[in-house]
Amino acid sequence: MTRRAVAAWVWVHRWSSLVCTVFALLLCLTGLPLIFKDELGPDLKLADTTAAPGTASVDAMVARALAARPGEVVPYLFYDRDHPILKVPTAASMTADPATFHYQVFDTRTGQQIEIPQPNEGFLYVMTRLHLDLFAGVSGTLFLGSMGLLLVIAIVSGVVLYGPFTRRLDFGVVRTGSRRRSWLDLHNLLGIATLAWFGVVGFTGVINTLAAPIELAWQANQLVEMAAQAKPAAGEGRRAAIDDVLRAVRAEVPGMNVMTVAFPGTPFATPSHVAIFLTGNTPITSRILKPALADAATGEIVSVRDMPWYATALFMSQPLHFGDYGGLPLKIIWALLDVVTIVVLISGLYLWGAKRSRREALSETEGRAA
């Protein structure tokens, strides 16, 4: 590689790193507790029972949630992936901001209500919002996505420069005698050692920031097409029991688990349909949603289809980003690599600051000599 090419790559690496490092450091720090969000979450204190999940009446749970919050509505139902519980949020309207939801949690085997802290408050909620959107909504998410893209550029340019800068050194050598040189060698070593993980997490993080545009694209295209497959039944104000809807969708798509139910009037359903989102039972299919639409008046399933490829790419990137698909051992590995990445980012800032201070001191010395 020519000297001019090396200089160009140095410029790209320096400035892409400087612009995104503070935000990348924030993402690493907030992402660390999120790796263990299940372990740090509230103790559900589920009652011991031999009843099968899903045997209690969902309509009864919804009625209890509405009775406890007069004047509010239930826009969604959320099933837990790992526990037999159902989260029933209530809100002022069907299109209310999810941040304003009040959640009530029920055991799906017994229908018993479980008292837990609200999931949209507390330490983990603050860490999640900082990690996802800096409390700035879609604009904050897209901004963090742009920082993630710069991070990917910094990783690629760092790989290109690793060879020219370390060709005369044995791999893993950290030279002594100069603090800046030791930090430089440590920065290069840790950076190349965590290259694959850092690249995967950075790239999947960028994909995750596209969740909002992907949801809008699905609503504008796939949801409209699914609703157009069947004309809703004439039934002014009539609503099928949600228990009947769930039985119908489980019969229509056997072997899959219901994860989310969106009621008519929400952004993920239509005014005349209930939307049900299901997942499979394998480690891979459990991350991919399959949407179904049911006629809100009759409970009949009118459409079932797979998510488009761009939504599937989003779902597959999420477990790779947080490392939550391999149990606690993989989470510990993810956390250790996160800590190493924090050291890489801090050492990069130190090297830039040390070089700048050295340059200023040299200019001052030359000025005095002149």
Side-chain angles (χ1 to χ4, degrees):
M1 187 182 297
T2 65
R3 183 173 298 180
R4 180 174 296 180
V6 171
W9 279 109
V10 168
W11 185 90
V12 170
H13 184 69
R14 177 186 300 125
W15 288 107
S16 61
S17 301
L18 285 176
V19 172
C20 74
T21 292
V22 172
F23 296 99
L25 190 57
L26 171 67
L27 292 174
C28 286
L29 291 172
T30 55
L32 191 57
L34 294 181
I35 296 173
F36 301 101
K37 59 183 181 296
D38 294 330
E39 290 75 14
L40 296 175
D43 183 7
L44 297 176
K45 297 180 180 178
L46 295 173
D48 293 331
T49 178
T50 57
T55 54
S57 171
V58 176
D59 287 292
M61 300 180 209
V62 171
R64 287 185 61 184
L66 290 172
R69 306 282 294 185
E72 297 189 352
V73 296
V74 173
Y76 302 97
L77 301 176
F78 300 110
Y79 284 84
D80 191 270
R81 190 186 306 275
D82 303 312
H83 303 93
I85 63 174
L86 176 67
K87 298 177 183 178
V88 183
T90 55
S93 69
M94 287 294 188
T95 57
D97 184 350
T100 65
F101 287 178
H102 180 275
Y103 290 85
Q104 298 176 63
V105 180
F106 298 87
D107 189 322
T108 59
R109 302 165 300 178
T110 64
Q112 179 182 357
Q113 188 166 358
I114 304 169
E115 296 297 332
I116 65 169
Q118 289 298 302
N120 50 4
E121 60 186 24
F123 172 74
L124 284 179
Y125 174 70
V126 172
M127 293 295 101
T128 301
R129 289 297 304 272
L130 287 174
H131 195 84
L132 293 180
D133 61 10
L134 298 175
F135 286 93
V138 175
S139 58
T141 299
L142 295 178
F143 172 76
L144 289 177
S146 65
M147 294 298 102
L149 189 59
L150 283 178
L151 178 62
V152 172
I153 294 174
I155 293 172
V156 172
S157 59
V159 172
V160 173
L161 292 171
Y162 181 78
F165 274 81
T166 61
R167 64 181 182 272
R168 297 178 181 175
L169 298 174
D170 294 331
F171 180 78
V173 170
V174 177
R175 293 169 292 178
T176 58
S178 168
R179 178 181 296 180
R180 183 177 178 277
R181 183 180 298 168
S182 298
W183 274 104
L184 176 61
D185 290 343
L186 184 64
H187 178 82
N188 290 335
L189 173 61
L190 295 180
I192 204 65
T194 58
L195 169 65
W197 180 85
F198 203 12
V200 168
V201 171
F203 183 67
T204 53
V206 173
I207 295 177
N208 287 340
T209 62
L210 300 176
I214 286 174
E215 290 171 356
L216 292 174
W218 180 81
Q219 293 165 11
N221 298 295
Q222 302 286 322
L223 179 59
V224 173
E225 291 179 7
M226 292 175 68
Q229 288 185 2
K231 185 178 180 180
E236 290 293 334
R238 186 159 58 94
R239 288 289 181 264
I242 190 61
D243 287 320
D244 294 337
V245 173
L246 293 175
R247 276 192 291 269
V249 75
R250 286 168 178 147
E252 184 75 19
V253 193
M256 300 196 74
N257 302 316
V258 175
M259 294 303 299
T260 304
V261 177
F263 288 105
T266 60
F268 291 92
T270 78
S272 305
H273 296 92
V274 178
I276 309 99
F277 299 88
L278 306 100
T279 63
N281 295 314
T282 67
I284 294 179
T285 59
S286 66
R287 303 292 175 172
I288 302 175
L289 291 178
K290 180 186 285 291
L293 281 187
D295 190 296
T298 66
E300 179 185 355
I301 305 301
V302 297
S303 179
V304 179
R305 65 167 61 182
D306 293 327
M307 277 290 200
W309 67 267
Y310 50 82
T312 300
L314 170 66
F315 300 143
M316 294 301 295
S317 70
Q318 290 173 342
L320 286 174
H321 187 71
F322 285 107
D324 58 355
Y325 57 90
L328 186 58
L330 185 61
K331 291 182 179 183
I332 293 174
I333 294 173
W334 239 244
L336 292 175
L337 290 169
D338 192 325
V339 172
V340 172
T341 302
I342 291 173
V343 175
V344 172
L345 295 171
I346 292 176
S347 63
L349 287 175
Y350 167 77
L351 291 169
W352 176 75
K355 186 174 183 179
R356 185 175 180 181
S357 299
R358 183 180 179 184
R359 187 183 300 118
E360 290 176 354
L362 183 60
S363 298
E364 184 178 350
T365 301
E366 291 176 348
R368 289 176 179 175

